[in-house]
Amino acid sequence: MIRLALLLLALLTLPARAEEVVMGMSKDSVSITTDFDGSEILIFGAVKREAPIRTDPPLQVIVTVAGPVEPVTVWRKARRLGIWVNTDAVEIDAAPSFYAVATSAPWDEVITDVEDLRHKVSVPRAIRSVGAPMNILDSQSFTDALIRLRESEGLYQLRANSVELRDSTLFDTAISMPANIVEGLYSTRVFLTRGGRVVSQHASVIEVRKVGLERWLFNLSRNQAPLYGLLSLVIAIAAGWGASAAFRAMKSG
């Protein structure tokens, strides 16, 4: 009974959270059409307080957007008899198809390694690879290769100093999603940090989906693969015949 009373007393005397983040987005869904060339989403928010603004250490903001997580096989190529062939492979257990990180200051100033590990904020922390074949001693290099490849495709982004923070209260940033994103639910998180430690966070979701002809073709490829293959063959033959006819017309003209 005494322990229960002490526990209740401790809970009652706990200080209220000094700062709490609230966020919004310019849109919570993205439609992929046949002419889709990417999308930009504005993420904004404010900091609610129950105390005066602290200036030391300064407040920082981190925004992340993560696409659907999926396993990925990464191959290493090697030259054999003058030909480049796949040799070793590592199965990465889970990697986001898209991952963007935007910060209000340089990376080293916004979060510590410990907090990054705890909340899986940076691109490398968002990827999970727990096992590799015994004969591969440099499995981390495969993860690094995946990151480099997706960075070159615009699918992995680290944009330091791209979150505008005004008066340590209002913030906003724009996240660019390239044309090669996949459909699914995209997790959006906002972190408030001080001295590299997370003091508040908020999460939301963006839905990315195919619509119109893209949706019809996607469903056809999944549900009626033979018909989809036949349709692709017919389109390829028609395109080849059309190009040939155009070339003959130009030649005769």
Side-chain angles (χ1 to χ4, degrees):
M1 192 67 179
I2 295 176
R3 290 182 179 178
L4 179 59
L6 291 174
L7 178 59
L8 290 174
L9 180 62
L11 290 174
L12 290 173
T13 56
L14 280 176
R17 178 176 289 181
E19 295 171 309
E20 185 175 354
V21 62
V22 291
M23 65 167 287
M25 297 181 290
S26 58
K27 51 187 173 182
D28 56 11
S29 65
V30 174
S31 298
I32 300 178
T33 60
T34 52
D35 59 350
F36 179 73
D37 60 355
S39 182
E40 186 174 79
I41 296 179
L42 177 66
I43 299 173
F44 54 90
V47 181
K48 296 194 301 183
R49 290 186 173 87
E50 298 181 0
I53 298 176
R54 291 174 53 196
T55 58
D56 187 29
L59 184 73
Q60 303 294 353
V61 179
I62 307 172
V63 176
T64 70
V65 178
V69 174
E70 57 193 6
V72 180
T73 300
V74 180
W75 289 87
R76 171 186 286 158
K77 289 184 178 293
R79 198 174 182 86
R80 297 286 187 269
L81 301 176
I83 301 173
W84 288 98
V85 296
N86 292 330
T87 53
D88 300 326
V90 168
E91 178 81 13
I92 295 175
D93 304 273
S97 58
F98 171 84
Y99 198 80
V101 183
T103 68
S104 59
W107 178 257
D108 293 340
E109 297 179 17
V110 297
I111 194 167
T112 65
D113 290 339
V114 173
E115 291 288 88
D116 183 21
L117 178 61
R118 178 179 297 133
H119 297 281
K120 296 178 173 57
V121 180
S122 65
V123 173
R125 295 300 185 191
I127 299 173
R128 186 176 76 249
S129 182
V130 295
M134 295 295 293
N135 62 312
I136 296 179
L137 304 179
D138 58 341
S139 59
Q140 181 59 40
S141 65
F142 288 78
T143 300
D144 296 340
L146 175 66
I147 293 174
R148 288 195 303 271
L149 175 62
R150 292 193 169 175
E151 283 178 342
S152 68
E153 296 173 342
L155 293 171
Y156 285 175
Q157 308 169 16
L158 174 57
R159 300 172 58 245
N161 297 299
S162 64
V163 177
E164 186 174 356
L165 179 60
R166 293 178 290 278
D167 300 324
S168 295
T169 301
L170 301 177
F171 65 87
D172 64 80
T173 189
I175 300 295
S176 297
M177 306 175 78
N180 53 341
I181 57 174
V182 302
E183 69 173 351
L185 296 180
Y186 284 60
S187 171
T188 304
R189 298 182 296 169
V190 175
F191 298 91
L192 295 184
T193 67
R194 282 193 183 277
R197 296 185 57 193
V198 174
V199 297
S200 179
Q201 60 180 300
H202 185 83
S204 187
V205 172
I206 302 168
E207 182 183 8
V208 176
R209 63 184 185 278
K210 293 182 173 71
V211 297
L213 181 60
E214 282 286 325
R215 164 56 59 183
W216 182 77
L217 290 173
F218 178 80
N219 289 337
L220 188 67
S221 67
R222 293 295 186 273
N223 302 326
Q224 301 184 51
L227 180 58
Y228 177 78
L230 180 60
L231 179 62
S232 300
L233 180 61
V234 170
I235 292 174
I237 292 174
W241 178 86
S244 177
F247 180 74
R248 286 197 302 271
M250 290 173 60
K251 231 177 138 183
S252 61

PDB file of all heavy atoms in Angstrom, residues 127-145:
ATOM      1  N   ILE A 127      17.888   0.933 -42.594  1.00  0.00           N
ATOM      2  CA  ILE A 127      18.070  -0.336 -43.306  1.00  0.00           C
ATOM      3  C   ILE A 127      18.463  -1.424 -42.311  1.00  0.00           C
ATOM      4  O   ILE A 127      19.353  -1.219 -41.485  1.00  0.00           O
ATOM      5  CB  ILE A 127      19.144  -0.186 -44.399  1.00  0.00           C
ATOM      6  CG1 ILE A 127      18.707   0.872 -45.425  1.00  0.00           C
ATOM      7  CG2 ILE A 127      19.414  -1.520 -45.083  1.00  0.00           C
ATOM      8  CD1 ILE A 127      19.777   1.203 -46.435  1.00  0.00           C
ATOM      9  N   ARG A 128      17.797  -2.574 -42.390  1.00  0.00           N
ATOM     10  CA  ARG A 128      18.112  -3.676 -41.480  1.00  0.00           C
ATOM     11  C   ARG A 128      18.719  -4.841 -42.262  1.00  0.00           C
ATOM     12  O   ARG A 128      18.097  -5.377 -43.166  1.00  0.00           O
ATOM     13  CB  ARG A 128      16.858  -4.162 -40.744  1.00  0.00           C
ATOM     14  CG  ARG A 128      17.182  -5.211 -39.664  1.00  0.00           C
ATOM     15  CD  ARG A 128      15.955  -5.620 -38.875  1.00  0.00           C
ATOM     16  NE  ARG A 128      15.088  -6.517 -39.628  1.00  0.00           N
ATOM     17  CZ  ARG A 128      13.890  -6.208 -40.089  1.00  0.00           C
ATOM     18  NH1 ARG A 128      13.407  -4.989 -39.912  1.00  0.00           N
ATOM     19  NH2 ARG A 128      13.170  -7.085 -40.751  1.00  0.00           N
ATOM     20  N   SER A 129      19.947  -5.183 -41.914  1.00  0.00           N
ATOM     21  CA  SER A 129      20.625  -6.315 -42.526  1.00  0.00           C
ATOM     22  C   SER A 129      21.341  -7.075 -41.412  1.00  0.00           C
ATOM     23  O   SER A 129      22.391  -6.643 -40.935  1.00  0.00           O
ATOM     24  CB  SER A 129      21.623  -5.840 -43.588  1.00  0.00           C
ATOM     25  OG  SER A 129      22.245  -6.933 -44.217  1.00  0.00           O
ATOM     26  N   VAL A 130      20.763  -8.183 -40.988  1.00  0.00           N
ATOM     27  CA  VAL A 130      21.258  -8.860 -39.782  1.00  0.00           C
ATOM     28  C   VAL A 130      22.099 -10.093 -40.074  1.00  0.00           C
ATOM     29  O   VAL A 130      22.719 -10.651 -39.184  1.00  0.00           O
ATOM     30  CB  VAL A 130      20.076  -9.253 -38.866  1.00  0.00           C
ATOM     31  CG1 VAL A 130      19.374  -8.020 -38.356  1.00  0.00           C
ATOM     32  CG2 VAL A 130      19.088 -10.159 -39.587  1.00  0.00           C
ATOM     33  N   GLY A 131      22.088 -10.552 -41.305  1.00  0.00           N
ATOM     34  CA  GLY A 131      22.857 -11.762 -41.595  1.00  0.00           C
ATOM     35  C   GLY A 131      23.461 -11.717 -42.978  1.00  0.00           C
ATOM     36  O   GLY A 131      22.964 -11.037 -43.873  1.00  0.00           O
ATOM     37  N   ALA A 132      24.558 -12.442 -43.163  1.00  0.00           N
ATOM     38  CA  ALA A 132      25.220 -12.525 -44.466  1.00  0.00           C
ATOM     39  C   ALA A 132      25.901 -13.879 -44.556  1.00  0.00           C
ATOM     40  O   ALA A 132      26.208 -14.501 -43.532  1.00  0.00           O
ATOM     41  CB  ALA A 132      26.237 -11.395 -44.625  1.00  0.00           C
ATOM     42  N   PRO A 133      26.125 -14.392 -45.772  1.00  0.00           N
ATOM     43  CA  PRO A 133      26.839 -15.664 -45.915  1.00  0.00           C
ATOM     44  C   PRO A 133      28.193 -15.635 -45.210  1.00  0.00           C
ATOM     45  O   PRO A 133      28.851 -14.593 -45.150  1.00  0.00           O
ATOM     46  CB  PRO A 133      26.999 -15.795 -47.441  1.00  0.00           C
ATOM     47  CG  PRO A 133      25.874 -14.984 -48.010  1.00  0.00           C
ATOM     48  CD  PRO A 133      25.689 -13.839 -47.057  1.00  0.00           C
ATOM     49  N   MET A 134      28.597 -16.762 -44.692  1.00  0.00           N
ATOM     50  CA  MET A 134      29.836 -16.848 -43.913  1.00  0.00           C
ATOM     51  C   MET A 134      31.052 -16.467 -44.736  1.00  0.00           C
ATOM     52  O   MET A 134      32.046 -15.993 -44.192  1.00  0.00           O
ATOM     53  CB  MET A 134      30.001 -18.266 -43.365  1.00  0.00           C
ATOM     54  CG  MET A 134      28.931 -18.670 -42.356  1.00  0.00           C
ATOM     55  SD  MET A 134      29.010 -17.684 -40.853  1.00  0.00           S
ATOM     56  CE  MET A 134      30.576 -18.217 -40.187  1.00  0.00           C
ATOM     57  N   ASN A 135      30.985 -16.662 -46.059  1.00  0.00           N
ATOM     58  CA  ASN A 135      32.159 -16.390 -46.885  1.00  0.00           C
ATOM     59  C   ASN A 135      32.309 -14.910 -47.229  1.00  0.00           C
ATOM     60  O   ASN A 135      33.298 -14.518 -47.840  1.00  0.00           O
ATOM     61  CB  ASN A 135      32.087 -17.203 -48.183  1.00  0.00           C
ATOM     62  CG  ASN A 135      30.876 -16.818 -49.029  1.00  0.00           C
ATOM     63  OD1 ASN A 135      29.765 -16.739 -48.504  1.00  0.00           O
ATOM     64  ND2 ASN A 135      31.087 -16.607 -50.321  1.00  0.00           N
ATOM     65  N   ILE A 136      31.342 -14.089 -46.840  1.00  0.00           N
ATOM     66  CA  ILE A 136      31.411 -12.653 -47.123  1.00  0.00           C
ATOM     67  C   ILE A 136      31.795 -11.915 -45.848  1.00  0.00           C
ATOM     68  O   ILE A 136      31.042 -11.906 -44.871  1.00  0.00           O
ATOM     69  CB  ILE A 136      30.064 -12.135 -47.674  1.00  0.00           C
ATOM     70  CG1 ILE A 136      29.775 -12.808 -49.017  1.00  0.00           C
ATOM     71  CG2 ILE A 136      30.090 -10.617 -47.823  1.00  0.00           C
ATOM     72  CD1 ILE A 136      28.462 -12.400 -49.638  1.00  0.00           C
ATOM     73  N   LEU A 137      32.964 -11.321 -45.854  1.00  0.00           N
ATOM     74  CA  LEU A 137      33.492 -10.660 -44.671  1.00  0.00           C
ATOM     75  C   LEU A 137      33.216  -9.163 -44.653  1.00  0.00           C
ATOM     76  O   LEU A 137      33.434  -8.506 -43.630  1.00  0.00           O
ATOM     77  CB  LEU A 137      35.009 -10.905 -44.570  1.00  0.00           C
ATOM     78  CG  LEU A 137      35.437 -12.378 -44.550  1.00  0.00           C
ATOM     79  CD1 LEU A 137      36.955 -12.481 -44.474  1.00  0.00           C
ATOM     80  CD2 LEU A 137      34.778 -13.123 -43.386  1.00  0.00           C
ATOM     81  N   ASP A 138      32.765  -8.613 -45.773  1.00  0.00           N
ATOM     82  CA  ASP A 138      32.519  -7.167 -45.859  1.00  0.00           C
ATOM     83  C   ASP A 138      31.057  -6.895 -46.203  1.00  0.00           C
ATOM     84  O   ASP A 138      30.750  -6.180 -47.160  1.00  0.00           O
ATOM     85  CB  ASP A 138      33.441  -6.521 -46.886  1.00  0.00           C
ATOM     86  CG  ASP A 138      33.263  -7.134 -48.274  1.00  0.00           C
ATOM     87  OD1 ASP A 138      32.723  -8.253 -48.376  1.00  0.00           O
ATOM     88  OD2 ASP A 138      33.633  -6.463 -49.267  1.00  0.00           O
ATOM     89  N   SER A 139      30.141  -7.482 -45.438  1.00  0.00           N
ATOM     90  CA  SER A 139      28.714  -7.371 -45.760  1.00  0.00           C
ATOM     91  C   SER A 139      28.232  -5.918 -45.739  1.00  0.00           C
ATOM     92  O   SER A 139      27.295  -5.561 -46.455  1.00  0.00           O
ATOM     93  CB  SER A 139      27.888  -8.214 -44.783  1.00  0.00           C
ATOM     94  OG  SER A 139      28.104  -7.782 -43.442  1.00  0.00           O
ATOM     95  N   GLN A 140      28.886  -5.071 -44.929  1.00  0.00           N
ATOM     96  CA  GLN A 140      28.470  -3.671 -44.857  1.00  0.00           C
ATOM     97  C   GLN A 140      28.633  -2.982 -46.211  1.00  0.00           C
ATOM     98  O   GLN A 140      27.870  -2.064 -46.548  1.00  0.00           O
ATOM     99  CB  GLN A 140      29.273  -2.940 -43.786  1.00  0.00           C
ATOM    100  CG  GLN A 140      28.906  -1.467 -43.614  1.00  0.00           C
ATOM    101  CD  GLN A 140      27.439  -1.258 -43.241  1.00  0.00           C
ATOM    102  OE1 GLN A 140      26.901  -2.009 -42.445  1.00  0.00           O
ATOM    103  NE2 GLN A 140      26.812  -0.246 -43.818  1.00  0.00           N
ATOM    104  N   SER A 141      29.604  -3.432 -47.003  1.00  0.00           N
ATOM    105  CA  SER A 141      29.835  -2.803 -48.304  1.00  0.00           C
ATOM    106  C   SER A 141      28.641  -3.003 -49.239  1.00  0.00           C
ATOM    107  O   SER A 141      28.402  -2.181 -50.131  1.00  0.00           O
ATOM    108  CB  SER A 141      31.107  -3.354 -48.949  1.00  0.00           C
ATOM    109  OG  SER A 141      30.963  -4.730 -49.261  1.00  0.00           O
ATOM    110  N   PHE A 142      27.883  -4.072 -49.036  1.00  0.00           N
ATOM    111  CA  PHE A 142      26.698  -4.308 -49.861  1.00  0.00           C
ATOM    112  C   PHE A 142      25.599  -3.307 -49.503  1.00  0.00           C
ATOM    113  O   PHE A 142      24.906  -2.795 -50.384  1.00  0.00           O
ATOM    114  CB  PHE A 142      26.206  -5.746 -49.673  1.00  0.00           C
ATOM    115  CG  PHE A 142      27.094  -6.786 -50.315  1.00  0.00           C
ATOM    116  CD1 PHE A 142      28.281  -7.171 -49.717  1.00  0.00           C
ATOM    117  CD2 PHE A 142      26.740  -7.365 -51.512  1.00  0.00           C
ATOM    118  CE1 PHE A 142      29.097  -8.120 -50.299  1.00  0.00           C
ATOM    119  CE2 PHE A 142      27.544  -8.319 -52.121  1.00  0.00           C
ATOM    120  CZ  PHE A 142      28.735  -8.693 -51.511  1.00  0.00           C
ATOM    121  N   THR A 143      25.445  -3.050 -48.202  1.00  0.00           N
ATOM    122  CA  THR A 143      24.481  -2.034 -47.776  1.00  0.00           C
ATOM    123  C   THR A 143      24.894  -0.666 -48.290  1.00  0.00           C
ATOM    124  O   THR A 143      24.061   0.113 -48.767  1.00  0.00           O
ATOM    125  CB  THR A 143      24.377  -2.016 -46.240  1.00  0.00           C
ATOM    126  OG1 THR A 143      23.948  -3.305 -45.768  1.00  0.00           O
ATOM    127  CG2 THR A 143      23.378  -0.963 -45.782  1.00  0.00           C
ATOM    128  N   ASP A 144      26.184  -0.367 -48.204  1.00  0.00           N
ATOM    129  CA  ASP A 144      26.687   0.917 -48.712  1.00  0.00           C
ATOM    130  C   ASP A 144      26.422   1.057 -50.212  1.00  0.00           C
ATOM    131  O   ASP A 144      26.082   2.142 -50.695  1.00  0.00           O
ATOM    132  CB  ASP A 144      28.181   1.055 -48.434  1.00  0.00           C
ATOM    133  CG  ASP A 144      28.498   1.105 -46.946  1.00  0.00           C
ATOM    134  OD1 ASP A 144      27.588   1.413 -46.157  1.00  0.00           O
ATOM    135  OD2 ASP A 144      29.658   0.822 -46.582  1.00  0.00           O
ATOM    136  N   ALA A 145      26.570  -0.054 -50.938  1.00  0.00           N
ATOM    137  CA  ALA A 145      26.332  -0.022 -52.386  1.00  0.00           C
ATOM    138  C   ALA A 145      24.860   0.251 -52.688  1.00  0.00           C
ATOM    139  O   ALA A 145      24.534   1.004 -53.611  1.00  0.00           O
ATOM    140  CB  ALA A 145      26.771  -1.344 -53.017  1.00  0.00           C
TER     141      ALA A 145
END
